[in-house]
Amino acid sequence: MAPSTIAALLVGAAVSSACTIPTEPLGNNITYPFRAQVQNASRPEVHNKYMNLFEAGGGDRHLFIGPVGVPTYDLTLVAGVINHVPNGVRAVIGGEYSEIDHTTKMFMTGRDDPRAIFQPTYACNPVTDGLQIELRFVTWQGQPEGGHICVRSSFDGSHEFRYSPPGNRLIDVNRECIKVTLVVMPTTDLPPPGTSTTLSTSTTSARPTSTSSSTATSTSTPTGLPTPAPFTDLTDLGFRFVGCAPEERWTDDGAFRTLPDATESSDDMTNQRCVAFCAERGFRYAGTEWRRECWCGDEVAPTRRPATTLESLARCDDGYLCTGDPAQNCGGDAWLSLYERCEEGEACENEVFT
Ligand SMILES: *[C@@H]1O[C@H](CO)[C@@H](O)[C@H](O)[C@H]1NC(C)=O
Ligand SMILES: *[C@@H]1O[C@H](CO)[C@@H](O)[C@H](O)[C@H]1NC(C)=O
């Protein structure tokens, strides 16, 4: 039998984990925005769908798999608790206890109900074998450890999120609560039109009025390069362009995000806006990405530093035009247009690419 056939049989017979799981444990905070994906490959009606927020009374948000609810791209994890900062809510468990299957609703609120606590954990996707970060359910605060999150069919073809306690074997045969794995999907895709209501706009007020001009671009387009210029000349603002830096790397040379310390996302993103956002917060580096994101940090790991070849600019000159100014590039798909604050008393000059 050919080795490949044997391998194929093994994959069918056992849980394969050829993907390499990083050894360092993950903390219980995830500061980059993510979507929560639901996985249970034996249940196609829920597999690979996403957690939506659905506005309920009193500012609460209920949690559904579509078609009900608003796709939500900017969840974060704070001390093991799923948060949606723009709406000031976090995931809790409580209410709507069901006698039949002993499950209890999980939803989001700003009130102090006992939280649902998760631990981010690296794992191999059981189907694709890709590395992923799963949110392993730890406990319903104040209750015994264990149990799991499940989704149960609800109105209009949706499924709602529920908690099933440790050791629970009860099943509601009319609407089984399907056990699911929650997976962190870092937001690297643009929300479809009309669903941007959940994106953070809380930092909009930080936008200095002086950053709306894009004249710096047109006056400084390096000759011989395609337009728009692969980068924006911000030396007037005290920032130099350093290059196109890799982002979102599953490596242990630094944070998953190259510039993890502050971020904003906007329909009006420009490189000027981003450096102003980071400068205002005292950060040395600012980077734009995926047309609409701005990331800040004080360090760039040596392995994440951009190259200085002309070719290295391609990943940030690839059609990811800034949402706030189509004459500028704002990074790429998991690549940052990286700018660095110039030191006082030093000439402020962009990197030279050859
Ligand atoms: C997670 O964030 C919380 C609140 O911001 C903080 O108190 C805690 O120390 C952080 N945990 C880790 C492991 O960094
Ligand atoms: C999928 O759901 C079924 C029904 O709840 C459950 O028995 C099974 O363990 C789940 N599979 C995974 C991988 O969670």
Side-chain angles (χ1 to χ4, degrees):
M1 203 182 292
S4 58
T5 316
I6 296 168
L9 285 174
L10 283 175
V11 167
V15 177
S16 89
S17 60
C19 92
T20 309
I21 299 200
T23 48
E24 90 275 17
L26 288 162
N28 60 357
N29 293 320
I30 297 179
T31 52
Y32 53 82
F34 66 87
R35 303 182 81 184
Q37 192 186 57
V38 165
Q39 292 179 0
N40 183 330
S42 55
R43 305 304 292 263
E45 69 270 36
V46 301
H47 186 56
N48 284 351
K49 304 222 165 132
Y50 290 92
M51 181 187 276
N52 290 348
L53 269 57
F54 178 76
E55 187 156 7
D60 288 358
R61 296 291 190 284
H62 290 182
L63 298 172
F64 288 97
I65 292 175
V68 168
V70 180
T72 304
Y73 293 78
D74 49 356
L75 299 169
T76 51
L77 195 76
V78 181
V81 180
I82 301 173
N83 271 247
H84 189 240
V85 173
N87 288 325
V89 293
R90 57 186 98 83
V92 302
I93 296 169
E96 298 182 27
Y97 171 74
S98 168
E99 297 278 350
I100 302 175
D101 65 3
H102 281 195
T103 61
T104 306
K105 194 181 183 78
M106 176 167 84
F107 67 104
M108 296 186 98
T109 184
R111 294 189 313 272
D112 241 358
D113 305 54
R115 325 268 206 256
I117 311 285
F118 295 89
Q119 174 58 49
T121 310
Y122 287 116
C124 301
N125 182 306
V127 179
T128 66
D129 201 35
L131 183 64
Q132 63 186 19
I133 293 179
E134 298 180 357
L135 292 177
R136 296 272 166 88
F137 183 73
V138 178
T139 194
W140 177 10
Q141 214 173 34
Q143 304 282 325
E145 281 214 359
H148 63 260
I149 297 302
C150 57
V151 295
R152 197 172 78 174
S153 123
S154 186
F155 65 94
D156 289 350
S158 69
H159 285 75
E160 61 174 16
F161 286 77
R162 302 186 68 83
Y163 156 85
S164 177
N168 183 24
R169 303 231 168 271
L170 295 174
I171 292 174
D172 180 344
V173 289
N174 294 316
R175 41 175 193 167
E176 180 184 7
C177 201
I178 302 164
K179 182 181 180 190
V180 290
T181 306
L182 289 183
V183 179
V184 172
M185 303 296 278
T187 306
T188 56
D189 47 352
L190 283 173
T195 56
S196 61
T197 50
T198 62
L199 282 166
S200 171
T201 50
S202 57
T203 49
T204 307
S205 58
R207 183 182 187 178
T209 49
S210 63
T211 61
S212 55
S213 153
S214 62
T215 49
T217 322
S218 48
T219 55
S220 64
T221 303
T223 47
L225 291 170
T227 53
F231 62 88
T232 309
D233 184 351
L234 304 177
T235 51
D236 282 359
L237 300 174
F239 274 77
R240 56 190 285 270
F241 180 71
V242 195
C244 182
E247 236 289 77
E248 293 186 77
R249 293 296 182 266
W250 298 104
T251 47
D252 56 8
D253 57 351
F256 173 70
R257 291 289 184 169
T258 298
L259 299 176
D261 296 327
T263 186
E264 74 156 348
S265 177
S266 168
D267 290 335
D268 291 316
M269 189 54 63
T270 60
N271 288 296
Q272 288 87 345
R273 174 180 171 130
C274 182
V275 299
F277 175 84
C278 296
E280 203 163 76
R281 286 158 182 78
F283 291 110
R284 179 168 165 204
Y285 290 98
T288 51
E289 182 180 352
W290 197 262
R291 305 190 62 216
R292 57 177 306 113
E293 297 173 9
C294 172
W295 296 87
C296 318
D298 271 328
E299 291 169 40
V300 176
T303 45
R304 308 271 183 102
R305 293 205 66 88
T308 56
T309 58
L310 276 175
E311 298 83 69
S312 71
L313 294 176
R315 306 301 291 269
C316 293
D317 187 14
D318 201 15
Y320 289 89
L321 307 176
C322 302
T323 48
D325 181 1
Q328 300 182 35
N329 281 292
C330 275
D333 181 358
W335 290 85
L336 286 171
S337 294
L338 184 67
Y339 296 84
E340 179 184 17
R341 190 180 59 216
C342 298
E343 293 306 322
E344 245 171 81
E346 262 181 18
C348 194
E349 287 167 358
N350 296 315
E351 185 62 57
V352 176
F353 299 88
T354 50

